[in-house]
Amino acid sequence: MPKTIINRHKKTAYYYIEDLGNNITLEMVLIPGGTFIMGSPEIEKESSSRERPQHEVTIKPFAMGKYPITQAQWQAVAQLPQVNQELKLDPSRFKGDGSTSLTNQRPVESVSWHDAVEFCARLANHTQRPYRLPSEAEWEYAGRAGTTTPFHFGETITTDLANYDGTDKEEYKWSGSYGDGPKGIYREETTNVGSFPANAFGLYDMHGNVWEWCQDGWHGSYKDALIDGSVRTSQSDDEKLLRGGSWYNNPEYCRSASRDSNRAGFVTYGSGFRVVCGAAWTL
């Protein structure tokens, strides 16, 4: 008999909405504070030493974008007054079904960490609220939504549940399946945000679709990691954290504990972001 992949639970997600103008909004989900175990155990399939040692982290309440930032949201904010650098109005490769950038619900991609930080700065000025990129710990806490399994769905994943490469790549010895899960399809592009099931916090696309920039600098392990959920800097601080996997990755990269990095100024077709607001619970 096949293993159960999803356990469905009804929960209430609290959120607020920012008006970005031109009928474009930003939905922010309120994430309750709590304590969780960050990282992966050695027995987790395809895990690595850079996801260890596992450690307990306590997170304060915050708000996080319900979805990765869309191309429509990007263009709305990119037209706001510049803070530190210019932003391209339409940087993304994948345009979807021909929608204009003002209505496009594909996630923005081909943006650098610096671009994402500038977006947050413009959004913060516009709303007078402290928007920023999430810390790595906040991202994993929000992505897990109380689960301890490799995915918030459970022990495995399918391409009916997330956008990733579900096919084998024999030349690289990459598998399109994870654990006892099935093979799937390869869409070869992003999908509209919210196309797949949300986690228990009401967040979408935490597995696959686009990698998401975090505020932190890269560290090769959790040795001496912080336990309060705050941003962790590094000596060079030019290499930044990416979380969640993307449309072009195999499923092991989409695990809740999986972590990767890239140079802060680098852009790829698979890298986007979502925003957080630490002051949301006092609104």
Side-chain angles (χ1 to χ4, degrees), residues 58-156:
T58 298
I59 302 290
K60 295 178 181 178
F62 64 100
M64 186 176 227
K66 184 176 183 180
Y67 312 107
I69 292 298
T70 67
Q71 292 177 39
Q73 292 165 340
W74 172 271
Q75 185 166 84
V77 173
Q79 295 181 81
L80 296 174
Q82 178 177 325
V83 178
N84 293 307
Q85 67 172 61
E86 294 182 358
L87 292 176
K88 294 180 180 179
L89 285 180
D90 191 15
S92 300
R93 174 184 182 181
F94 300 112
K95 307 302 184 185
D97 59 2
S99 301
T100 67
S101 54
L102 282 173
T103 60
N104 199 322
Q105 294 304 297
R106 293 286 183 105
V108 70
E109 25 83 6
S110 302
V111 291
S112 71
W113 181 88
H114 293 301
D115 294 333
V117 169
E118 173 68 16
F119 178 100
C120 292
R122 295 189 191 190
L123 179 61
N125 281 355
H126 176 70
T127 62
Q128 294 299 297
R129 294 183 184 127
Y131 282 99
R132 56 178 172 81
L133 294 178
S135 72
E136 183 182 19
E138 287 172 332
W139 193 99
E140 185 170 328
Y141 175 76
R144 289 187 177 280
T147 63
T148 58
T149 48
F151 308 94
H152 69 73
F153 314 114
E155 293 291 342
T156 190

Side-chain angles (χ1 to χ4, degrees), residues 195-212:
S195 297
F196 302 96
N199 69 13
F201 282 158
L203 300 172
Y204 291 80
D205 297 307
M206 298 299 283
H207 301 306
N209 214 9
V210 288
W211 284 102
E212 298 182 13

Side-chain angles (χ1 to χ4, degrees), residues 135-188:
S135 72
E136 183 182 19
E138 287 172 332
W139 193 99
E140 185 170 328
Y141 175 76
R144 289 187 177 280
T147 63
T148 58
T149 48
F151 308 94
H152 69 73
F153 314 114
E155 293 291 342
T156 190
I157 190 172
T158 79
T159 52
D160 290 331
L161 302 176
N163 183 21
Y164 62 91
D165 185 355
T167 63
D168 292 342
K169 296 289 187 295
E170 293 184 5
E171 65 271 32
Y172 301 114
K173 297 182 179 179
W174 290 347
S175 175
S177 61
Y178 183 87
D180 294 333
K183 307 293 181 187
I185 62 174
Y186 183 26
R187 296 177 176 88
E188 301 187 51

